Amino acid sequence: MALAQGSGPAAAATRLPAGPRWWNEETRFGWLAISPALAFFAFFVGFPVCYSFYLSFHDWNMMSPTPYWVGLENYTSLLDDDEFRRSLIQTAAFTFGITICIVVLSLGMAVLLDQKLRWIKLYRTIFYLPAVTSLVAIGVVWVWIFDPQYGLINQALAGLGIVGPVWLADPQVALLALIVTAAWRNIGYFATIFLAGLQGIDAMYYEAARIDGASAWACFRRITVPLLRPTILFVVVMSVILSFQVFALVYVMTGGGPAGSTSVLVFYLYQQAFTYFRMGYASAIGFVLFVIIFALTLIQFRAFGKPVQS
Amino acid sequence: MSADTRRTPAESAILYAALLACAAITLMPYAWMVSSSFKTNIAIFSAQVDLIPDEPIIDNYIEAVTRHPVGRALANSLIMAGVETLAVVVTSILTAYPFARLRFPGRDILFLAILGTMMIPSQVTMIPAFILIKWLGWIDTYQGLIVPRIMTPLGIFLMRQFLQTLPRELEEAARIDGCSRMQTLLRVLVPLTGPAVATLAIFTFTASWNEFFWPLLVVQSTEMWTLQILIASMKQAEVVDWGVVMAVVTMSVLPTTAIYVLLQRYFVKGIAMSGLKG
């Protein structure tokens, strides 16, 4: 219905006397058609960003009628907040671990998938499957897999005569267990992206190298990696952005525990906002998160984004 | 490289072994999930690992459906994902068309502005968005769940990329025949968008079905629970009944898995379109 309404004014407008040259039927139709989107994004993204910025200079528990101005206090108290610092470090550790895993293992998997082997399409289908499975489902299944007594991993270890750790209940190991789970979910997704990059490399380079007697490893290091640089950059940036925002897995698997050892930034933000109703403080955390992600993305573009030298 | 015909049998064996190992690691959690859902409590809490239960039972499924609001959660997830998908497809086509085809002042900067919203992490906008929904009185309603997600910059971007690949002559012919722009869009272009619409719809549906964060904020009563919220809450219980939980998880994973297996060529297309545009 909304679609049909659009044609009315635009069609009628063609009969009106011409205004300035740019104010023609094409302009009017264009603006009319995108105006719902502009209104939507102004309302659900533009306004929230501004309001969040405003809130970050205020104290507000959502009960009192108006936010109370506190200036920079939310930001300065973040500097002294040990729990915040800890969640920041844990988020960084999670991001670092998962990104290393993804770059190495996804690239390895993509190289495998790029071979001419039997049933290769079936393998491609299988490896991507975790990417369409919900994080909540994956989290719950892996909690069960990590179960200290009856879980798959510790039962397998017991078969080898090893007593496995208590995984999610051990502050030393819990973050590692989260990394394993997140890696399991994301490796196939990023392998698909790497595969697309690999298939974009001209086979002529490899033929030339083969004639020169280069080994497979030399080909990989000297041809594949340099030419794959844009894809690697894309994967690293995506992985960092996604990992810095990890939430569902933490919420479902550990609830930030044990002893706060898996409390990551977004989980801390969620707790501040919706457990303690410190909306101003949580907004400040949100902005710090935004700035960190933005800065990391820029740094990565600087570091890896240089054009490939031939 | 891939066309290497000089591969020795040993090399081939290593490659196949690596593939098989990866496949086993990928599939194992699914096998463990399904197998646990058919096990008795005694079998679940036993010291041996059986991937195929000795005596499979369906009691966990019966208990899940009768003692937990699985039907309701399933319906809620379907409504949320279905309406959202329909809305995203319609709004993406309408918004993408002027960006792809028309020339007007402000076009490029507005398009960049819309794309730029992808840079903003949802956590920054989440608190005010929640407050907004509260002001509107939409907490714990379908509107609250769905309306803030009926447009996505990615959808607009994908449709614009696709519309740009269609030949202009088609539209020009229709325009000369006296069609309005809206008629041209609806009668000439929309019928050609099939593959792009399928890709966008599948991605949107899957993402919405799997969404957790926003429903967690908006939903309060049990009647409004989505499947993801139901699963998370079952896992938070004092004593987790793993057989029943795995039954619900299995049921929640089935639809997205089926869509993926049946329509995977659109997934591949979507990755190519979104991640690595030419």
Side-chain angles (χ1 to χ4, degrees), chain A residues 26 114 118 125 133-134 144, chain B residues 2 16 30 36 103 228 260:
Chain A
E26 197 168 345
D114 197 27
R118 214 164 297 182
T125 306
T133 307
S134 87
W144 177 223
Chain B
S2 52
Y16 278 110
Y30 293 99
S36 300
R103 257 189 272 172
Q228 312 302 333
Y260 167 62

Side-chain angles (χ1 to χ4, degrees), chain B residues 168-240:
Chain B
R168 267 175 193 279
E169 290 76 19
L170 294 168
E171 278 168 272
E172 277 156 15
R175 294 282 292 159
I176 290 163
D177 289 348
C179 285
S180 73
R181 291 201 188 271
M182 197 41 99
Q183 285 168 329
T184 315
L185 174 61
L186 291 182
R187 304 216 183 121
V188 181
L189 293 179
V190 168
L192 298 171
T193 55
V197 165
T199 301
L200 178 59
I202 288 165
F203 266 93
T204 310
F205 188 89
T206 312
S208 176
W209 184 268
N210 292 341
E211 174 65 23
F212 179 60
F213 208 155
W214 186 243
L216 181 68
L217 301 188
V218 175
V219 163
Q220 283 172 353
S221 61
T222 319
E223 287 77 50
M224 287 301 296
W225 278 4
T226 63
L227 272 175
Q228 312 302 333
I229 302 285
L230 170 67
I231 294 167
S233 83
M234 287 175 79
K235 194 260 154 189
Q236 313 288 348
E238 289 272 305
V239 181
V240 181

Side-chain angles (χ1 to χ4, degrees), chain A residues 102-116 120 124 127 187-207 216-235, chain B residues 1-3 15 19 271-272 275-276:
Chain A
I102 279 173
V103 170
V104 174
L105 298 175
S106 297
L107 187 51
M109 187 183 261
V111 170
L112 264 182
L113 287 175
D114 197 27
Q115 309 296 316
K116 286 216 168 83
I120 201 74
R124 283 179 199 160
F127 295 167
I187 284 172
Y189 170 75
F190 285 110
T192 310
I193 291 175
F194 272 130
L195 181 62
L198 285 176
Q199 291 176 339
I201 296 177
D202 197 328
M204 145 193 118
Y205 293 113
Y206 295 109
E207 275 153 31
W217 174 245
C219 284
F220 180 77
R221 266 201 54 196
R222 305 270 176 217
I223 300 173
T224 311
V225 172
L227 288 175
L228 213 54
R229 199 176 179 139
T231 316
I232 296 173
L233 170 70
F234 178 79
V235 167
Chain B
M1 176 161 87
S2 52
L15 289 175
L19 273 179
I271 299 162
L276 304 157

Side-chain angles (χ1 to χ4, degrees), chain A residues 2 17 40-41 53 76 78 82 85 91 103 106 109 115 131 134 144 166 171 183 188 193 216 219 226 235 251:
Chain A
F40 177 88
F41 287 110
F53 192 61
T76 49
L78 274 179
D82 287 341
R85 191 175 311 141
T91 310
V103 170
S106 297
M109 187 183 261
Q115 309 296 316
S134 87
W144 177 223
V166 289
I193 291 175
C219 284
V235 167
Y251 183 96

Side-chain angles (χ1 to χ4, degrees), chain A residues 3 33-34 36-37 41, chain B residues 84-100 111 114 149-163 185 190 193 196-197 199-201 204:
Chain A
L3 288 178
I34 62 173
F41 287 110
Chain B
E84 213 174 291
T85 304
L86 196 70
V88 165
V89 167
V90 171
T91 59
S92 296
I93 292 177
L94 181 67
T95 314
Y97 172 61
F99 285 133
F111 183 65
I114 288 179
R149 302 163 53 85
I150 55 168
M151 288 198 201
T152 64
L154 187 67
I156 294 167
F157 177 73
L158 286 183
M159 285 316 298
R160 172 180 173 268
Q161 297 299 93
F162 183 79
L163 287 176
L185 174 61
V190 168
T193 55
V197 165
T199 301
L200 178 59
T204 310

Side-chain angles (χ1 to χ4, degrees), chain B residues 16-110:
Chain B
Y16 278 110
L19 273 179
L20 272 176
C22 288
I25 292 169
T26 306
L27 290 177
M28 189 53 91
Y30 293 99
W32 185 240
M33 163 187 91
V34 175
S35 124
S36 300
S37 76
F38 287 107
K39 278 182 185 170
T40 61
N41 265 335
I42 297 166
I44 281 179
F45 299 111
S46 82
Q48 75 204 76
V49 181
D50 297 321
L51 265 188
I52 296 163
D54 280 341
E55 30 184 320
I57 53 156
I58 59 159
D59 301 35
N60 291 325
Y61 287 86
I62 294 168
E63 202 184 323
V65 175
T66 51
R67 294 213 11 233
H68 298 274
V70 171
R72 186 68 203 232
L74 195 80
N76 288 338
S77 284
L78 259 181
I79 292 169
M80 181 175 83
V83 175
E84 213 174 291
T85 304
L86 196 70
V88 165
V89 167
V90 171
T91 59
S92 296
I93 292 177
L94 181 67
T95 314
Y97 172 61
F99 285 133
R101 276 301 207 253
L102 304 185
R103 257 189 272 172
F104 54 93
R107 181 191 68 178
D108 295 340
I109 204 140
L110 290 174

